[in-house]
Amino acid sequence: MLTKKQSLYSVVGKKVNRVDAYEKIVGGARYVDDLAFEDMLFAKMVCSTIPSGRIKKIDKSRALKLKGVAGVFTAEDITGLNKIGCVVDDQPLLAKDAVRFAGEPFAVVAAETREIAEEAAGLVDIEYEPLEPVLTVDDSFSEKIKVHPKGNVVCHYKVRKGDNIDEAFGKSFKVYEKTFTINYQEHLYLETQGCVALPENEGITVYGSFQCPFYVQGAVSTALGLPLAKVRILQCVVGGGFGGKEDVPSEYAAKAALLAYVLKKPVKLILDRAQDLMVSSKRHPMKMEYKVGVTKKGKINALKVRVLADSGAYTTLSTVVLFRSSVHFGGPYVIPNVSGDIIGLYTNRVPCGAYRGFGTPQVIYAMESMINIICNDLGLDPFEFRKANALKKGAASITSHKIKESCGLIETIDKARKESEYDRRKKEFDKWNADKSKRTLKGLGVSSIFYGMNLGAKGWFYDKAGSHIQICRDGSVTLCVGNVEMGQGAKTVLAQIASEALGCEIGAINFTNVDTGIVPDSGPTVASRTTVMSGNALLDAANKLRKKLVAAAAESLKIKPNQVMAKLGKYYNIKDSHQFVSFKDLAGKCYLDNVGLSEMGYYVSPKVEYDLQSGQGEPYYVYSYATAVSEVEIDKKTGELRVNKMTCAHDIGRVINPMLASAQVEGGVAQGVGYAIMENMVSEKGHIKTLGLSTYVIPTTKDCPEVKSVFVEDKSKDGPYGAKGLGEPSLMPVVASVVNAVSNAAGHQFEHVPVLPERVWEVLSEKNSSEDESEVK
Amino acid sequence: MLRNFKVLTPASLNEALYVINNIEQPFRFLAGGTDVLVRLKDNPAYAQALVDISKIGELAKIEEHKSTFVIGSGVRHEALLAYGPFIENYNGLIEAVAAIGSPQIRTLATVGGNIGNASPAGDSIGPLMAFDAEVELRSQDSNRIVKLEDFFTGPGKTVLKHNEIITKIILPKSDALKSGWKRLGQRRAVAISKVSVTLALGFVKHSNGSDRIADVRIALGAVAPTVIRARKAEKFLLENQTLTKAVIKEACGLVAREARPITDIRSNTEYRSEMCGVLLGDLIEKLACAR
């Protein structure tokens, strides 16, 4: 049912087709590797083959002798600073004295062709003194070997709430303890990392596949020693990011830019899949120790958590990723006594950083597994237990953030139960599982989440966004924002917002890709923030333009400005919709009247207050919420897993585009299912072994479940039209709910992700043999 | 490095035989290209020349003879899948080939390529081996027939000499056999098998009216350095003739012990061995019921 207010909107809330669909379908979209320039050189990075060692000597001579090689650059050739760390200055652009992970670049080659560059990369000689690597978080935590001179702790976030935690557990009716581990996840964007750098106007222009053109601008400026204004970043069409193109592209763009700037030629650097898998950041593996106390009434009264996260060889974004873990490790629940320690640790492995969900899917998996254990042990209903502990307006999170508005968690729990037909399915599955002749076991799993919107307390100073709107004299509209379209549908949703606010038709809008020369620094396209941040920045600009258009329309229609309404390309008299002036004519009139129809917009995320010492305060201004229910089936004899269905209920405030929102949920489910039961990055002695698409296996459509997505629209006062974010929440409950379903089917809570058939088979075989034994007895 | 790289495209089998007899560089055949081009891209030293045999029409035919089918080595998987007699009588082969890669890969990849590649996980090999297929290997001055079972010497290794081409796969007619194929992969499509089993069974009516096993072939994929036949399990089933629960259980145990898998990035030794038994059990059940 539409409320009276909703029905006022003509574009927002509608199933508008993707504005970029056509060019992608016909192959017209230009990705960075489609770009070619005269005299363009091709670059290739030369990477460490050992996980840890001192660099004794790098010899470029053999590579430089190869015909067609234009340059071989090492740390000493950097014209600016040899630093690339986004948050902490611990990472060189090119390794100089030491290598700290297998795959760390120490040189970069430019040559006339891709093939020559490849060959030359193999001719750059390096002599190392190998050192014993640190490969586990436990070894790192012991600090026996230091990855960096300052020690192995990247960051340590504490959350302390309530009384003495041990006393609190003493008052619990029952206490549960468990340790969980979780492996890497690779983003596996279809388009690998890449960029092209062009020397232009005594500066540099970089085209590429980025999530944050402004980070790239900063990194290039630092590496080249150029002012920011001399560095222009132009966003290409992006073939997927998922967090993997947040900070990481800066590393490649700075290298390509350096080569281009010094050699005075365009330089293209595209990573092949193997190098991309080896070098680029991943989702943090974690070891998570959980202790949960519950009261007789089924309330969580105490939670103690210690997480050791493998940050890899450099900080990259670990400090902000793990801040999120520290806010979300207790789930969307009210828990009076909390003690949490989230510790990021250096190892001699690939750096870990941003990935859809940003340090939360891991801890959600652990917390929601604990809830599954508790519900099974005490015979409690998984929905009622979650509702009894759920955050709601007026209640406070584990960081004592009192929720004031836009909290639809309980509605998502109710909707997920109803829409998944949980109660009927549960009965059917119990009956199915009781029948020993059946080859499979079936299970249902539940998980609930909350997710802080935007960058929060730890990143507030980055949390701004700009926009630029220009209305041409023929009524066509150019939009430019600072956040990128990377497949998530941002262009479409933002065009809807602009179209609604301007009263123009969506077809009149032309979206240009991000150009750092046009819009101000808008922070990264991450944290599910684009709809809210760029949406609000567009509203800011659009409202200024609308005022001018309304004034012009009032003049044309000879009515007062407050009698003008605008919708779908028409400005009309609110009392008589037949009396109108078209958007096109208004634009023409303003042009002739010398009324400027070009405006900048700007928006800053609501300020939040947080105390990092105690981990208490408002980490984020508002949260999205979700509950997911999974149906899985496991083969008793092979341990093979199939996720048959997922029902996901999301509270994302106003749904700007229901079709794209559902698509976002489907994508999140696919990626989450892969993480839960399939994607297994194997490393040996610090070397990743799964460096290809045939070994790092992600789900095909045949492996993906049927997805039913439903929405709760508890509007957020700060969101454009009340919207909140969905990009990451779409993935976040998936792993936990799938693993809970598998665990419920197998009768064993799985303590490691991914849950592979080999492990399921092992568990079921052990159970079988012990059942056989008990039969004999 | 592709600077001195050669691609030779002989128009006939004879030309191809001449080319490979005289070529000096280390070369690889290009049949479907679905493996060779990927490897070459990863490692330019993989070959210094390609001999493109994909356009040789005489290698791309399937012929029916009196007691055999002769499959040209250049027959594409999709063509094999569309061949009527195979659909009727070689279910195991059809199931296996239909699981190879994706439609795009099957449209290009060839039967000879899957064999020549000599992967222990090559999906078409198990059923062909179970049907006692042979391969014809030709050079300019010789022509020999080798049993498929004897063709492989290790992962990626075969008895093929540098001047020989796999020209034909000779598949004995075996209308009396019912066959099936099953595998486990890391996902449901576009997957490399971590274990596969082919079973072909022939039955005769005993005088008392019951069905007795007259012929049995079992091939195991991805659980040894090459695809192998499980001879002990075959012998055991043939000797026991009837498929009682106890016999099936014993046979499944036997194949699990005949498998010699490794632990690698796809799976582990114990699981792979045990799954040979599980899949064999599934296939026995399926074929015994299908009669």
Side-chain angles (χ1 to χ4, degrees), chain A residues 66 115-116 119 439 637-638 640-642 678 682 689-690 693-695 697-698 700 702-703 757-758 761, chain B residues 1-3 182-190 192 194 265-268 270-271 274-275 278-279 282:
Chain A
L66 188 69
E115 289 76 18
I116 298 172
E119 191 178 350
R439 174 69 179 258
K637 289 188 177 173
T638 64
E640 284 202 305
L641 305 139
R642 183 187 272 278
M678 190 175 292
V682 179
K689 294 288 168 190
T690 43
L693 297 178
S694 68
T695 47
V697 171
I698 64 165
T700 66
K702 279 193 168 181
D703 302 284
E758 282 78 359
W761 171 76
Chain B
M1 186 63 237
L2 297 173
R3 270 173 303 181
K182 274 196 95 167
R183 70 102 166 261
L184 298 174
Q186 285 173 289
R187 62 183 166 205
R188 281 167 207 281
V190 206
I192 294 171
K194 48 190 187 188
I265 50 180
R266 292 201 172 85
S267 191
N268 67 58
E270 198 196 354
Y271 181 78
E274 291 298 318
M275 288 309 112
V278 171
L279 296 185
D282 288 349

Short mmCIF file of all heavy atoms in Angstrom, two decimals, chain A residues 66 115-116 119 439 637-638 640-642 678 682 689-690 693-695 697-698 700 702-703 757-758 761, chain B residues 1-3 182-190 192 194 265-268 270-271 274-275 278-279 282:
data_model
loop_
_atom_site.label_atom_id
_atom_site.label_comp_id
_atom_site.label_asym_id
_atom_site.label_seq_id
_atom_site.Cartn_x
_atom_site.Cartn_y
_atom_site.Cartn_z
N LEU A 66 66.68 -5.40 -23.26
CA LEU A 66 65.69 -5.99 -24.16
C LEU A 66 65.11 -4.91 -25.07
O LEU A 66 64.72 -3.83 -24.62
CB LEU A 66 64.58 -6.64 -23.32
CG LEU A 66 63.56 -7.48 -24.08
CD1 LEU A 66 64.20 -8.76 -24.62
CD2 LEU A 66 62.39 -7.84 -23.17
N GLU A 115 53.62 -7.90 -24.36
CA GLU A 115 54.45 -9.10 -24.32
C GLU A 115 55.89 -8.76 -23.93
O GLU A 115 56.52 -9.48 -23.16
CB GLU A 115 54.44 -9.80 -25.70
CG GLU A 115 53.13 -10.47 -26.03
CD GLU A 115 52.04 -9.50 -26.47
OE1 GLU A 115 52.36 -8.34 -26.84
OE2 GLU A 115 50.85 -9.89 -26.42
N ILE A 116 56.40 -7.66 -24.50
CA ILE A 116 57.78 -7.27 -24.14
C ILE A 116 57.83 -6.91 -22.66
O ILE A 116 58.78 -7.27 -21.95
CB ILE A 116 58.28 -6.09 -25.02
CG1 ILE A 116 58.31 -6.51 -26.49
CG2 ILE A 116 59.68 -5.66 -24.58
CD1 ILE A 116 58.60 -5.37 -27.47
N GLU A 119 58.03 -10.02 -20.67
CA GLU A 119 59.34 -10.67 -20.76
C GLU A 119 60.36 -9.88 -19.94
O GLU A 119 61.17 -10.46 -19.21
CB GLU A 119 59.78 -10.76 -22.23
CG GLU A 119 60.99 -11.66 -22.40
CD GLU A 119 61.42 -11.80 -23.87
OE1 GLU A 119 60.67 -11.35 -24.76
OE2 GLU A 119 62.51 -12.34 -24.10
N ARG A 439 18.20 -39.46 1.02
CA ARG A 439 19.62 -39.28 0.75
C ARG A 439 20.15 -37.96 1.31
O ARG A 439 21.33 -37.81 1.56
CB ARG A 439 19.83 -39.31 -0.79
CG ARG A 439 21.22 -38.99 -1.28
CD ARG A 439 22.21 -40.08 -0.90
NE ARG A 439 23.54 -39.75 -1.41
CZ ARG A 439 24.09 -40.29 -2.48
NH1 ARG A 439 23.44 -41.23 -3.17
NH2 ARG A 439 25.29 -39.95 -2.87
N LYS A 637 25.85 -38.66 1.81
CA LYS A 637 26.99 -39.52 1.45
C LYS A 637 28.18 -38.75 0.92
O LYS A 637 29.32 -39.20 1.03
CB LYS A 637 26.54 -40.56 0.42
CG LYS A 637 25.65 -41.62 1.02
CD LYS A 637 25.40 -42.72 0.02
CE LYS A 637 24.55 -43.84 0.63
NZ LYS A 637 24.19 -44.82 -0.41
N THR A 638 27.93 -37.61 0.27
CA THR A 638 29.06 -36.87 -0.32
C THR A 638 29.35 -35.57 0.42
O THR A 638 30.39 -34.96 0.18
CB THR A 638 28.77 -36.50 -1.79
OG1 THR A 638 27.66 -35.60 -1.81
CG2 THR A 638 28.45 -37.72 -2.64
N GLU A 640 27.94 -32.91 -0.18
CA GLU A 640 27.70 -31.79 -1.09
C GLU A 640 26.57 -30.91 -0.58
O GLU A 640 25.58 -31.40 -0.02
CB GLU A 640 27.37 -32.30 -2.48
CG GLU A 640 28.59 -32.79 -3.20
CD GLU A 640 28.36 -32.77 -4.70
OE1 GLU A 640 27.37 -33.38 -5.14
OE2 GLU A 640 29.15 -32.14 -5.41
N LEU A 641 26.73 -29.59 -0.81
CA LEU A 641 25.78 -28.63 -0.27
C LEU A 641 25.06 -27.91 -1.39
O LEU A 641 25.66 -27.59 -2.41
CB LEU A 641 26.54 -27.55 0.51
CG LEU A 641 27.45 -28.00 1.62
CD1 LEU A 641 28.73 -27.20 1.60
CD2 LEU A 641 26.75 -27.81 2.92
N ARG A 642 23.80 -27.65 -1.13
CA ARG A 642 23.07 -26.81 -2.07
C ARG A 642 22.21 -25.83 -1.28
O ARG A 642 21.49 -26.23 -0.36
CB ARG A 642 22.18 -27.69 -2.96
CG ARG A 642 21.43 -26.90 -4.01
CD ARG A 642 20.44 -27.79 -4.73
NE ARG A 642 21.02 -28.46 -5.88
CZ ARG A 642 21.16 -27.90 -7.09
NH1 ARG A 642 20.79 -26.67 -7.29
NH2 ARG A 642 21.68 -28.58 -8.08
N MET A 678 31.97 -22.28 -0.71
CA MET A 678 32.70 -22.64 -1.92
C MET A 678 34.08 -22.02 -2.04
O MET A 678 35.06 -22.71 -2.29
CB MET A 678 31.84 -22.22 -3.11
CG MET A 678 32.31 -22.72 -4.42
SD MET A 678 31.14 -22.28 -5.71
CE MET A 678 29.74 -23.30 -5.29
N VAL A 682 43.58 -21.03 -1.04
CA VAL A 682 44.56 -21.91 -0.41
C VAL A 682 45.92 -21.24 -0.46
O VAL A 682 46.36 -20.80 -1.53
CB VAL A 682 44.63 -23.27 -1.15
CG1 VAL A 682 45.66 -24.19 -0.50
CG2 VAL A 682 43.26 -23.94 -1.17
N LYS A 689 47.97 -20.31 -3.63
CA LYS A 689 48.01 -21.37 -4.64
C LYS A 689 46.85 -21.26 -5.63
O LYS A 689 46.89 -21.85 -6.70
CB LYS A 689 47.97 -22.74 -3.96
CG LYS A 689 49.18 -23.04 -3.13
CD LYS A 689 50.37 -23.30 -4.03
CE LYS A 689 51.68 -23.32 -3.26
NZ LYS A 689 52.83 -23.33 -4.16
N THR A 690 45.81 -20.58 -5.24
CA THR A 690 44.62 -20.51 -6.08
C THR A 690 44.64 -19.20 -6.88
O THR A 690 43.95 -18.25 -6.55
CB THR A 690 43.35 -20.59 -5.20
OG1 THR A 690 43.57 -19.75 -4.06
CG2 THR A 690 43.11 -21.99 -4.70
N LEU A 693 40.90 -18.65 -12.19
CA LEU A 693 39.45 -18.84 -12.08
C LEU A 693 39.06 -20.31 -12.01
O LEU A 693 37.93 -20.64 -11.68
CB LEU A 693 38.74 -18.18 -13.27
CG LEU A 693 38.92 -16.67 -13.37
CD1 LEU A 693 38.23 -16.13 -14.61
CD2 LEU A 693 38.38 -15.97 -12.14
N SER A 694 39.99 -21.21 -12.35
CA SER A 694 39.66 -22.64 -12.25
C SER A 694 40.03 -23.19 -10.88
O SER A 694 39.65 -24.30 -10.54
CB SER A 694 40.36 -23.44 -13.34
OG SER A 694 41.76 -23.45 -13.12
N THR A 695 40.77 -22.40 -10.09
CA THR A 695 41.15 -22.89 -8.77
C THR A 695 40.49 -22.07 -7.65
O THR A 695 40.14 -22.61 -6.62
CB THR A 695 42.68 -22.85 -8.59
OG1 THR A 695 43.18 -21.59 -9.01
CG2 THR A 695 43.34 -23.95 -9.40
N VAL A 697 37.30 -20.79 -6.95
CA VAL A 697 36.03 -21.09 -7.59
C VAL A 697 34.90 -20.30 -6.94
O VAL A 697 34.72 -20.35 -5.73
CB VAL A 697 35.77 -22.61 -7.48
CG1 VAL A 697 34.38 -22.97 -7.90
CG2 VAL A 697 36.79 -23.37 -8.32
N ILE A 698 34.16 -19.55 -7.75
CA ILE A 698 32.99 -18.83 -7.25
C ILE A 698 31.73 -19.44 -7.86
O ILE A 698 31.82 -20.19 -8.83
CB ILE A 698 33.07 -17.31 -7.58
CG1 ILE A 698 33.05 -17.07 -9.09
CG2 ILE A 698 34.31 -16.69 -6.97
CD1 ILE A 698 32.76 -15.62 -9.46
N THR A 700 28.43 -20.38 -9.92
CA THR A 700 27.78 -20.08 -11.20
C THR A 700 26.29 -19.88 -10.90
O THR A 700 25.86 -20.09 -9.76
CB THR A 700 27.91 -21.25 -12.19
OG1 THR A 700 27.17 -22.36 -11.68
CG2 THR A 700 29.37 -21.66 -12.37
N LYS A 702 24.06 -21.81 -11.58
CA LYS A 702 23.52 -23.10 -11.13
C LYS A 702 23.73 -23.33 -9.64
O LYS A 702 23.09 -24.18 -9.06
CB LYS A 702 24.21 -24.24 -11.89
CG LYS A 702 23.65 -24.50 -13.27
CD LYS A 702 24.17 -25.81 -13.78
CE LYS A 702 23.42 -26.25 -15.02
NZ LYS A 702 23.92 -27.54 -15.51
N ASP A 703 24.68 -22.62 -9.06
CA ASP A 703 24.97 -22.80 -7.64
C ASP A 703 24.21 -21.80 -6.77
O ASP A 703 24.31 -21.85 -5.56
CB ASP A 703 26.47 -22.62 -7.40
CG ASP A 703 27.29 -23.58 -8.22
OD1 ASP A 703 27.33 -24.77 -7.85
OD2 ASP A 703 27.86 -23.17 -9.25
N PRO A 757 32.28 -29.46 1.17
CA PRO A 757 31.71 -30.82 1.24
C PRO A 757 32.62 -31.79 2.00
O PRO A 757 32.13 -32.65 2.73
CB PRO A 757 31.61 -31.23 -0.23
CG PRO A 757 31.55 -29.97 -0.99
CD PRO A 757 32.33 -28.96 -0.20
N GLU A 758 33.93 -31.63 1.84
CA GLU A 758 34.87 -32.53 2.52
C GLU A 758 34.64 -32.50 4.03
O GLU A 758 34.68 -33.53 4.69
CB GLU A 758 36.32 -32.11 2.19
CG GLU A 758 36.82 -32.55 0.82
CD GLU A 758 36.33 -31.69 -0.34
OE1 GLU A 758 35.56 -30.73 -0.10
OE2 GLU A 758 36.70 -31.97 -1.50
N TRP A 761 31.16 -33.98 4.99
CA TRP A 761 31.24 -35.44 4.90
C TRP A 761 31.94 -36.02 6.12
O TRP A 761 31.49 -37.00 6.72
CB TRP A 761 31.97 -35.83 3.61
CG TRP A 761 32.29 -37.28 3.53
CD1 TRP A 761 31.45 -38.31 3.27
CD2 TRP A 761 33.58 -37.87 3.77
NE1 TRP A 761 32.12 -39.51 3.32
CE2 TRP A 761 33.43 -39.26 3.61
CE3 TRP A 761 34.85 -37.35 4.08
CZ2 TRP A 761 34.50 -40.15 3.77
CZ3 TRP A 761 35.91 -38.23 4.23
CH2 TRP A 761 35.74 -39.61 4.07
N MET B 1 57.25 -15.15 -25.14
CA MET B 1 57.50 -14.12 -26.16
C MET B 1 57.02 -14.62 -27.51
O MET B 1 57.37 -15.70 -27.92
CB MET B 1 59.01 -13.86 -26.18
CG MET B 1 59.40 -12.71 -27.06
SD MET B 1 58.67 -11.19 -26.45
CE MET B 1 57.78 -10.68 -27.87
N LEU B 2 56.21 -13.81 -28.15
CA LEU B 2 55.58 -14.29 -29.39
C LEU B 2 56.28 -13.79 -30.65
O LEU B 2 55.79 -13.98 -31.75
CB LEU B 2 54.12 -13.85 -29.41
CG LEU B 2 53.24 -14.41 -28.29
CD1 LEU B 2 51.88 -13.78 -28.30
CD2 LEU B 2 53.12 -15.92 -28.38
N ARG B 3 57.46 -13.19 -30.50
CA ARG B 3 58.07 -12.59 -31.69
C ARG B 3 58.41 -13.60 -32.79
O ARG B 3 58.18 -13.37 -33.96
CB ARG B 3 59.33 -11.81 -31.31
CG ARG B 3 59.02 -10.37 -30.98
CD ARG B 3 60.23 -9.69 -30.44
NE ARG B 3 60.73 -10.40 -29.26
CZ ARG B 3 61.78 -10.02 -28.56
NH1 ARG B 3 62.48 -8.97 -28.95
NH2 ARG B 3 62.16 -10.68 -27.50
N LYS B 182 29.31 -40.24 -13.17
CA LYS B 182 29.03 -39.25 -12.12
C LYS B 182 30.32 -38.62 -11.66
O LYS B 182 31.36 -39.26 -11.67
CB LYS B 182 28.35 -39.91 -10.92
CG LYS B 182 26.85 -40.02 -11.04
CD LYS B 182 26.21 -40.31 -9.69
CE LYS B 182 25.75 -39.03 -9.03
NZ LYS B 182 24.86 -39.28 -7.88
N ARG B 183 30.19 -37.38 -11.24
CA ARG B 183 31.39 -36.73 -10.73
C ARG B 183 31.04 -35.78 -9.59
O ARG B 183 29.89 -35.42 -9.40
CB ARG B 183 32.06 -35.94 -11.84
CG ARG B 183 31.28 -34.71 -12.31
CD ARG B 183 31.83 -33.42 -11.76
NE ARG B 183 31.28 -32.27 -12.47
CZ ARG B 183 31.92 -31.64 -13.45
NH1 ARG B 183 33.12 -32.04 -13.80
NH2 ARG B 183 31.35 -30.62 -14.05
N LEU B 184 32.07 -35.40 -8.87
CA LEU B 184 31.94 -34.31 -7.91
C LEU B 184 32.90 -33.21 -8.33
O LEU B 184 34.05 -33.48 -8.68
CB LEU B 184 32.30 -34.80 -6.50
CG LEU B 184 31.42 -35.92 -5.92
CD1 LEU B 184 31.98 -36.40 -4.59
CD2 LEU B 184 29.98 -35.45 -5.75
N GLY B 185 32.39 -32.00 -8.33
CA GLY B 185 33.25 -30.87 -8.68
C GLY B 185 33.11 -29.81 -7.60
O GLY B 185 32.32 -29.97 -6.67
N GLN B 186 33.87 -28.74 -7.73
CA GLN B 186 33.78 -27.70 -6.70
C GLN B 186 32.51 -26.87 -6.86
O GLN B 186 32.16 -26.10 -5.98
CB GLN B 186 35.01 -26.79 -6.75
CG GLN B 186 36.25 -27.45 -6.17
CD GLN B 186 37.48 -26.61 -6.38
OE1 GLN B 186 37.97 -26.47 -7.50
NE2 GLN B 186 38.01 -26.02 -5.33
N ARG B 187 31.89 -26.98 -8.03
CA ARG B 187 30.60 -26.32 -8.22
C ARG B 187 29.82 -27.10 -9.28
O ARG B 187 30.32 -28.10 -9.80
CB ARG B 187 30.79 -24.84 -8.61
CG ARG B 187 31.52 -24.65 -9.90
CD ARG B 187 31.75 -23.17 -10.22
NE ARG B 187 32.72 -23.05 -11.29
CZ ARG B 187 33.48 -21.98 -11.48
NH1 ARG B 187 33.37 -20.94 -10.70
NH2 ARG B 187 34.33 -21.94 -12.47
N ARG B 188 28.63 -26.63 -9.61
CA ARG B 188 27.74 -27.44 -10.42
C ARG B 188 27.94 -27.32 -11.93
O ARG B 188 27.33 -28.06 -12.70
CB ARG B 188 26.29 -27.11 -10.08
CG ARG B 188 25.92 -27.79 -8.81
CD ARG B 188 24.65 -27.33 -8.17
NE ARG B 188 24.79 -27.59 -6.76
CZ ARG B 188 24.63 -28.78 -6.21
NH1 ARG B 188 24.28 -29.81 -6.93
NH2 ARG B 188 24.82 -28.95 -4.92
N ALA B 189 28.71 -26.37 -12.36
CA ALA B 189 29.01 -26.26 -13.80
C ALA B 189 30.35 -25.57 -13.94
O ALA B 189 30.82 -24.93 -13.00
CB ALA B 189 27.92 -25.44 -14.50
N VAL B 190 30.93 -25.70 -15.10
CA VAL B 190 32.25 -25.12 -15.38
C VAL B 190 33.21 -25.48 -14.23
O VAL B 190 33.83 -24.62 -13.63
CB VAL B 190 32.19 -23.58 -15.56
CG1 VAL B 190 33.36 -23.11 -16.44
CG2 VAL B 190 30.89 -23.14 -16.19
N ILE B 192 36.18 -28.37 -12.68
CA ILE B 192 37.10 -29.47 -12.93
C ILE B 192 36.77 -30.56 -11.92
O ILE B 192 36.63 -30.28 -10.72
CB ILE B 192 38.56 -28.97 -12.80
CG1 ILE B 192 38.83 -27.98 -13.94
CG2 ILE B 192 39.53 -30.14 -12.84
CD1 ILE B 192 40.13 -27.24 -13.83
N LYS B 194 36.76 -33.27 -9.17
CA LYS B 194 37.71 -33.69 -8.14
C LYS B 194 37.66 -35.20 -7.96
O LYS B 194 38.57 -35.78 -7.38
CB LYS B 194 37.51 -32.93 -6.83
CG LYS B 194 36.13 -32.81 -6.29
CD LYS B 194 36.11 -31.81 -5.11
CE LYS B 194 34.76 -31.79 -4.43
NZ LYS B 194 34.66 -30.71 -3.45
N ILE B 265 44.66 -28.55 -4.09
CA ILE B 265 43.82 -27.40 -3.76
C ILE B 265 42.34 -27.68 -3.97
O ILE B 265 41.50 -26.92 -3.51
CB ILE B 265 44.23 -26.15 -4.57
CG1 ILE B 265 44.33 -26.48 -6.05
CG2 ILE B 265 45.53 -25.59 -4.08
CD1 ILE B 265 44.74 -25.29 -6.89
N ARG B 266 42.00 -28.77 -4.65
CA ARG B 266 40.58 -29.04 -4.90
C ARG B 266 39.94 -29.96 -3.87
O ARG B 266 38.76 -29.87 -3.61
CB ARG B 266 40.38 -29.64 -6.30
CG ARG B 266 40.69 -28.67 -7.39
CD ARG B 266 40.05 -29.01 -8.71
NE ARG B 266 40.29 -27.89 -9.61
CZ ARG B 266 41.40 -27.74 -10.33
NH1 ARG B 266 42.34 -28.66 -10.31
NH2 ARG B 266 41.55 -26.68 -11.10
N SER B 267 40.71 -30.92 -3.35
CA SER B 267 40.12 -31.86 -2.40
C SER B 267 41.23 -32.62 -1.68
O SER B 267 42.40 -32.25 -1.82
CB SER B 267 39.19 -32.83 -3.14
OG SER B 267 38.41 -33.57 -2.22
N ASN B 268 40.84 -33.66 -0.93
CA ASN B 268 41.87 -34.41 -0.21
C ASN B 268 41.78 -35.91 -0.49
O ASN B 268 40.78 -36.41 -1.00
CB ASN B 268 41.81 -34.10 1.28
CG ASN B 268 40.53 -34.62 1.91
OD1 ASN B 268 40.22 -35.80 1.87
ND2 ASN B 268 39.74 -33.70 2.50
N GLU B 270 41.56 -38.71 1.36
CA GLU B 270 40.58 -39.58 1.99
C GLU B 270 39.20 -39.41 1.34
O GLU B 270 38.52 -40.38 1.01
CB GLU B 270 40.51 -39.26 3.48
CG GLU B 270 39.86 -40.37 4.27
CD GLU B 270 39.44 -39.93 5.66
OE1 GLU B 270 39.76 -38.80 6.07
OE2 GLU B 270 38.77 -40.74 6.33
N TYR B 271 38.81 -38.15 1.18
CA TYR B 271 37.49 -37.86 0.61
C TYR B 271 37.39 -38.42 -0.81
O TYR B 271 36.41 -39.08 -1.16
CB TYR B 271 37.28 -36.34 0.60
CG TYR B 271 35.94 -35.90 0.05
CD1 TYR B 271 34.79 -36.00 0.82
CD2 TYR B 271 35.84 -35.35 -1.23
CE1 TYR B 271 33.57 -35.57 0.32
CE2 TYR B 271 34.63 -34.92 -1.73
CZ TYR B 271 33.48 -35.03 -0.95
OH TYR B 271 32.28 -34.60 -1.45
N GLU B 274 37.04 -42.26 -0.80
CA GLU B 274 35.72 -42.68 -0.35
C GLU B 274 34.64 -42.35 -1.38
O GLU B 274 33.69 -43.11 -1.56
CB GLU B 274 35.38 -42.02 0.99
CG GLU B 274 36.22 -42.52 2.15
CD GLU B 274 36.02 -44.02 2.41
OE1 GLU B 274 34.87 -44.50 2.35
OE2 GLU B 274 37.03 -44.70 2.67
N MET B 275 34.79 -41.20 -2.03
CA MET B 275 33.76 -40.79 -2.99
C MET B 275 33.73 -41.71 -4.21
O MET B 275 32.70 -41.85 -4.86
CB MET B 275 33.96 -39.33 -3.42
CG MET B 275 33.61 -38.33 -2.32
SD MET B 275 31.98 -38.59 -1.58
CE MET B 275 32.46 -39.11 0.06
N VAL B 278 31.27 -44.13 -3.15
CA VAL B 278 29.91 -43.55 -3.09
C VAL B 278 29.33 -43.41 -4.50
O VAL B 278 28.19 -43.79 -4.77
CB VAL B 278 29.92 -42.19 -2.37
CG1 VAL B 278 28.58 -41.49 -2.51
CG2 VAL B 278 30.28 -42.38 -0.90
N LEU B 279 30.14 -42.86 -5.40
CA LEU B 279 29.64 -42.64 -6.76
C LEU B 279 29.39 -43.97 -7.46
O LEU B 279 28.43 -44.11 -8.21
CB LEU B 279 30.62 -41.78 -7.57
CG LEU B 279 30.83 -40.34 -7.06
CD1 LEU B 279 31.72 -39.57 -8.03
CD2 LEU B 279 29.52 -39.60 -6.86
N ASP B 282 26.12 -45.23 -6.28
CA ASP B 282 25.03 -44.49 -6.92
C ASP B 282 24.80 -44.99 -8.34
O ASP B 282 23.66 -45.13 -8.79
CB ASP B 282 25.38 -42.99 -6.99
CG ASP B 282 25.31 -42.33 -5.62
OD1 ASP B 282 24.81 -42.96 -4.68
OD2 ASP B 282 25.77 -41.17 -5.51
#
